[in-house]
Amino acid sequence: KGFFTGCCCCCKSGWRWSLKCGCCFKCFPKTFTFMLPQFLISPLAKFSVHYAFFLAALICYSAFLLTELDFYEGVGSVKIYEWIVYIYIFGDICEEYRYLMPYLKEDSILTVISPHISEDAPVSLRHSWWYKLKKYSYNFWNFLDVLSYAITITAICIRFFKSTTSNNLARRFYSLSLFTMYMRFLHVILMSRKLGPKIIMIKEMLKDLFRFIGILFVFMFGVGVLYHANMYPKHVDMWNPAGWEYWRIWKIIYIPYWQIYGDSFLDTFSENSTAPCTSIQSEWENNPDIERCNQYDWVLLVIASLYMLISNLLLVNLVIALF
């Protein structure tokens, strides 16, 4: 009654509608009974206000990441968009886990055993903390919330305690944090009768995709090791101390991963395709920015042809069949 207008009426002779104010009224006497306070605390109003603030925070977060992220030189370097983002994230975390605290209490989750099972009185079965944590984390949206908060807190710590002139590391974490927040905003689409089921379908498809990635990684690592062993024989510097970005593991999985999407990398298999490069071991070991020259072997083309045949025609179509 009066859900969208915030008012309702009751009338002895029946309901009447006021075209003047858009709400109903009593016939005798003509007084209005407003239901605005009840509307403001209704689930729809709370949901709408929550995601309206969420949308505003996303806009401010995007503006902060695009225009304001700079070297931290004190509180004065924190500008308005950044303050808004921090205030919203703090309030969002408090609001999220304000409802979680009674959820984690020992007496809050009880499973009542049916009296039909036993002649005794119903018994309350208390679940362990591990069960409660699993039940909470198995929800996709809860997991996405925790992931978003963790990345955001990490980005804030890097921003304030490990700030650099370029801020590349902080910018990467802030970008991931913003992306997860955009993914969380998809929760509002569940209210749509037409788009809501599609979001649920995407969520279930992601589960199948992550299971399939395990099979895919076996093929990728197997073929990547074959590529690397024949292109760079006797390469002992697999874990370069200059940094994790220079580890050879990325070189191993680079070509097999992009071959899944149809890039053949045939030019890469030719001799010295990484020019400028060097064949002197001391040079590419001491300076990780200098790439080692690769060798040509005809078996690489055979391996690539078989791998792309399996990955593009068999594995990718298997994923399509699962979906």
Side-chain angles (χ1 to χ4, degrees), residues 230-251:
N230 290 276
M231 294 175 66
Y232 307 99
K234 299 175 63 177
H235 192 95
V236 296
D237 189 20
M238 300 299 295
W239 311 100
N240 198 301
W244 59 271
E245 62 270 19
Y246 296 106
W247 291 353
R248 300 302 291 185
I249 186 67
W250 316 122
K251 191 77 174 180

Side-chain angles (χ1 to χ4, degrees), residues 13-269:
S13 61
W15 293 92
R16 296 179 60 185
W17 187 261
S18 172
L19 298 177
K20 183 177 180 181
C21 65
C23 62
C24 47
F25 61 92
K26 288 183 178 180
C27 301
F28 302 100
K30 295 182 179 180
T31 57
F32 297 99
T33 305
F34 290 94
M35 302 292 292
L36 185 59
Q38 286 78 1
F39 170 71
L40 292 178
I41 63 175
S42 64
L44 178 62
K46 292 180 179 179
F47 186 85
S48 302
V49 170
H50 172 75
Y51 279 98
F53 277 101
F54 198 170
L55 180 60
L58 281 178
I59 296 174
C60 293
Y61 203 162
S62 302
F64 156 65
L65 190 60
L66 292 171
T67 61
E68 292 186 355
L69 184 57
D70 200 357
F71 180 71
Y72 177 70
E73 297 178 341
V75 181
S77 61
V78 180
K79 299 180 181 179
I80 181 64
Y81 287 134
E82 189 172 359
W83 280 117
I84 294 175
V85 170
Y86 294 156
I87 292 172
Y88 174 80
I89 290 174
F90 176 76
D92 190 31
I93 293 175
C94 293
E95 190 272 338
E96 176 72 19
Y97 294 105
R98 179 174 67 89
Y99 296 101
L100 183 61
M101 295 308 295
Y103 175 80
L104 290 177
K105 288 182 180 179
E106 186 177 1
D107 297 332
S108 61
I109 302 178
L110 299 176
T111 301
V112 179
I113 301 177
S114 174
H116 300 287
I117 300 178
S118 174
E119 296 180 356
D120 300 330
V123 180
S124 296
L125 180 62
R126 290 181 173 86
H127 295 297
S128 64
W129 284 85
W130 177 244
Y131 172 83
K132 301 171 188 177
L133 181 62
K134 288 195 300 182
K135 186 176 180 180
Y136 177 82
S137 59
Y138 279 175
N139 184 286
F140 175 78
W141 301 107
N142 291 339
F143 174 78
L144 196 59
D145 290 341
V146 173
L147 181 63
S148 176
Y149 297 147
I151 296 176
T152 304
I153 293 173
T154 304
I156 294 173
C157 293
I158 296 174
R159 162 92 165 131
F160 289 101
F161 301 109
K162 199 177 179 181
S163 182
T164 59
T165 54
S166 60
N167 264 335
N168 288 333
L169 185 60
R171 186 176 292 105
R172 293 165 188 163
F173 275 95
Y174 274 116
S175 302
L176 290 175
S177 171
L178 180 60
F179 175 76
T180 55
M181 288 189 67
Y182 272 107
M183 295 300 101
R184 289 173 57 198
F185 190 75
L186 291 175
H187 198 187
V188 71
I189 304 180
L190 290 176
M191 296 292 293
S192 174
R193 182 174 299 178
K194 293 183 178 180
L195 297 179
K198 294 179 175 59
I199 298 298
I200 298 175
M201 291 170 59
I202 293 174
K203 182 187 70 173
E204 297 301 324
M205 289 165 64
L206 284 175
K207 295 180 182 179
D208 293 332
L209 180 62
F210 286 133
R211 297 188 188 102
F212 173 76
I213 287 177
I215 302 174
L216 188 61
F217 264 100
V218 175
F219 282 88
M220 287 173 50
F221 275 103
V223 174
V225 170
L226 289 177
Y227 287 159
H228 196 277
N230 290 276
M231 294 175 66
Y232 307 99
K234 299 175 63 177
H235 192 95
V236 296
D237 189 20
M238 300 299 295
W239 311 100
N240 198 301
W244 59 271
E245 62 270 19
Y246 296 106
W247 291 353
R248 300 302 291 185
I249 186 67
W250 316 122
K251 191 77 174 180
I252 290 174
I253 66 175
Y254 179 79
I255 296 178
Y257 177 78
W258 291 110
Q259 282 183 335
I260 297 174
Y261 305 106
D263 195 343
S264 61
F265 283 92
L266 294 180
D267 296 337
T268 307
F269 298 138

